[in-house]
Amino acid sequence: MAEAGDEGTASVEASGFSDLSDSELVEFLDLEEAKESAVSLSKPGPSSELPGKDDKPVSLQNWKRGLDVLSPMERFHLKYLYVTDLCTQNWCELQMVYGKELPGSLTPEKAAVLDTGASIHLAKELELHDLVTVPIATKEDAWAVKFLNILSMIPALQSEGRVREFPVFGEVEGIFLVGVIDELHYTSKGELELAELKTRRRPVLPLPAQKKKDYFQVSLYKYIFDAMVQGKVTPASLIHHTKLCLDKPLGPSVLRHARQGGVSVKSLGDLMELVFLSLTLSDLPAIDTLKLEYIHQETATILGTETVAFEEKEVKSKVQHYVAYWMGHRDPQGVDVEEAWKCRTCDYVDICEWRRGSGVLSSSWEPKAKKVK
DNA sequence: TTTTTTTTTTAT
């Protein structure tokens, strides 16, 4: 399968400070506020002497306030979301928001666990097919590679009965979602099954809260995949959300890869039409079953296998609720008090507004508060 | 914007 290489990324990211848009500047301001909060949380000083409150020019404050009307989609400059964004949102909406605002920082410990998981997934994929790196220069190239993958995976699924890393995309409740299905295969009964592998550092099954998140993830995949094979995800919708330029010429390495794969295509538009036809005319069924498998990273012991029922109504209403945040129809929420234990693994626990606002910081959380008083 | 990779710290 083809992998998009990251040629050209450097020049994109090297854009100068002058390119900074208004809302990007606001993000920096927000960041400073967050730092202030963290400081005042750990060592509260005399409240009237908090610095910097009145320093900002009035015009700047008004400007900032005006930009508050931007939806999170606009504020973060997002054209679409990843399936896993909504899953993180399912775990804790505020944690997801902080992750978008302050990207990057991972503890080495956590990074190592993620890395191991990624390697196991890669090894699984390599069992099924080779990987080819295709250098890309534009987002059009990147999507072209994705399309070429779909074009080769559909016949592979129908003839060999199994593929991994199947790309999915489509509009759900007004928002465009993009993701990758871990594995699709036909069972002995001839049913199309989605299998999602979850590797775990410790040899125990996840808590219900995490299982719920995983159920939601596979449910979203089915929702989008089914829409794709039913012709509900149109090239027009794809173009509308991703703002792909059909007239931008594809890179030479992408064209070469297409040719080698037996796809004679001259433009991205051609390719999209081809994908649409292949998806809808290949007799691909909707996904019949959703399976999750949990294995131990170190020993590869199977910890458990679960089959999930697809509850369309429930998935839809959850997505509607999450989308309401992204569209700016409501503020983000933290976890309920009974799920405050999630905060223990959260990188943003020190700056989290939710914890201060909802009484979670009361005696049971900070026994010190009692002593001090 | 190339998606995803996975959750701790015990002892009661």
Side-chain angles (χ1 to χ4, degrees):
Chain A
M1 214 48 54
E3 239 187 351
D6 56 2
E7 217 175 59
T9 327
S11 63
V12 171
E13 290 180 357
S15 59
F17 188 77
S18 58
D19 286 347
L20 204 63
S21 75
D22 294 353
S23 43
E24 276 171 328
L25 184 49
V26 171
E27 281 168 17
F28 286 128
L29 293 174
D30 287 339
L31 181 59
E32 285 198 4
E33 277 186 8
K35 279 178 187 161
E36 269 180 32
S37 319
V39 170
S40 63
L41 188 63
S42 53
K43 17 172 166 168
S47 56
S48 59
E49 287 180 29
L50 279 178
K53 273 293 163 207
D54 301 311
D55 296 343
K56 290 173 195 164
V58 172
S59 61
L60 186 59
Q61 286 191 354
N62 285 344
W63 176 42
K64 175 171 151 47
R65 194 164 301 128
L67 287 168
D68 282 346
V69 303
L70 288 181
S71 73
M73 287 302 282
E74 295 165 324
R75 212 153 38 86
F76 295 123
H77 310 121
L78 301 173
K79 296 201 263 297
Y80 52 82
L81 297 175
Y82 301 140
V83 166
T84 46
D85 287 333
L86 291 203
C87 297
T88 314
Q89 197 173 358
N90 179 273
W91 178 259
C92 172
E93 188 163 72
L94 222 49
Q95 181 179 332
M96 187 278 303
V97 174
Y98 284 125
K100 290 283 180 195
E101 281 174 356
L102 315 162
S105 60
L106 266 183
T107 64
E109 162 114 343
K110 197 186 243 176
V113 179
L114 294 182
D115 215 50
T116 305
S119 309
I120 293 170
H121 278 264
L122 179 60
K124 282 278 210 181
E125 186 181 3
L126 290 172
E127 284 174 14
L128 233 52
H129 51 237
D130 292 332
L131 274 180
V132 187
T133 301
V134 181
I136 55 157
T138 63
K139 66 175 179 177
E140 281 73 18
D141 282 351
W143 278 89
V145 170
K146 192 199 293 282
F147 295 146
L148 289 170
N149 278 337
I150 293 177
L151 285 181
S152 74
M153 286 169 110
I154 290 173
L157 174 61
Q158 300 298 60
S159 64
E160 289 150 53
R162 184 182 307 271
V163 292
R164 291 190 65 91
E165 310 291 327
F166 190 96
V168 289
F169 46 81
E171 193 186 306
V172 180
E173 300 301 319
I175 220 152
F176 203 78
L177 290 180
V178 178
V180 178
I181 294 175
D182 191 26
E183 176 172 324
L184 285 172
H185 61 243
Y186 285 101
T187 65
S188 51
K189 289 176 174 174
E191 293 181 328
L192 182 58
E193 183 169 76
L194 178 156
E196 172 74 30
L197 179 71
K198 295 293 183 197
T199 73
R200 306 201 28 98
R201 192 172 77 81
R202 296 182 170 275
V204 290
L205 277 172
L207 295 169
Q210 191 167 359
K211 282 187 184 175
K212 257 181 46 191
K213 173 174 172 268
D214 297 340
Y215 296 173
F216 184 54
Q217 183 181 3
V218 294
S219 298
L220 281 176
Y221 288 146
K222 169 173 164 56
Y223 195 105
I224 301 169
F225 179 89
D226 290 0
M228 288 171 81
V229 302
Q230 289 161 5
K232 295 175 184 167
V233 181
T234 60
S237 152
L238 181 59
I239 295 162
H240 174 253
H241 287 282
T242 57
K243 309 284 187 245
L244 288 169
C245 289
L246 297 192
D247 47 347
K248 199 175 281 183
L250 295 172
S253 48
V254 175
L255 290 171
R256 191 181 336 115
H257 182 253
R259 225 171 28 245
Q260 282 167 355
V263 179
S264 70
V265 69
K266 57 183 196 322
S267 74
L268 190 61
D270 289 353
L271 196 47
M272 282 178 46
E273 290 299 335
L274 215 49
V275 168
F276 183 79
L277 292 176
S278 183
L279 280 168
T280 53
L281 301 176
S282 298
D283 287 315
L284 286 168
I287 291 169
D288 293 298
T289 55
L290 301 171
K291 195 178 78 177
L292 277 156
E293 188 168 63
Y294 298 96
I295 69 166
H296 181 35
Q297 285 192 341
E298 201 180 336
T299 64
T301 312
I302 297 176
L303 305 172
T305 303
E306 319 215 351
T307 301
V308 181
F310 179 68
E311 311 274 5
E312 181 168 351
K313 288 265 160 59
E314 205 179 309
V315 173
K316 258 183 147 165
S317 71
K318 269 187 189 168
V319 174
Q320 280 170 4
H321 180 250
Y322 298 143
V323 166
Y325 159 72
W326 287 106
M327 300 297 208
H329 298 331
R330 63 172 178 83
D331 286 331
Q333 304 172 341
V335 293
D336 292 336
V337 181
E338 54 268 29
E339 285 202 322
W341 51 267
K342 287 179 177 175
C343 305
R344 277 180 290 180
T345 50
C346 181
D347 294 335
Y348 311 102
V349 64
D350 292 334
I351 60 168
C352 184
E353 287 289 333
W354 184 260
R355 284 171 60 81
R356 291 196 285 162
S358 59
V360 176
L361 259 189
S362 63
S363 55
S364 66
W365 278 94
E366 302 288 332
K368 266 188 172 179
K370 270 189 175 169
K371 282 183 193 167
V372 169
K373 200 236 155 221

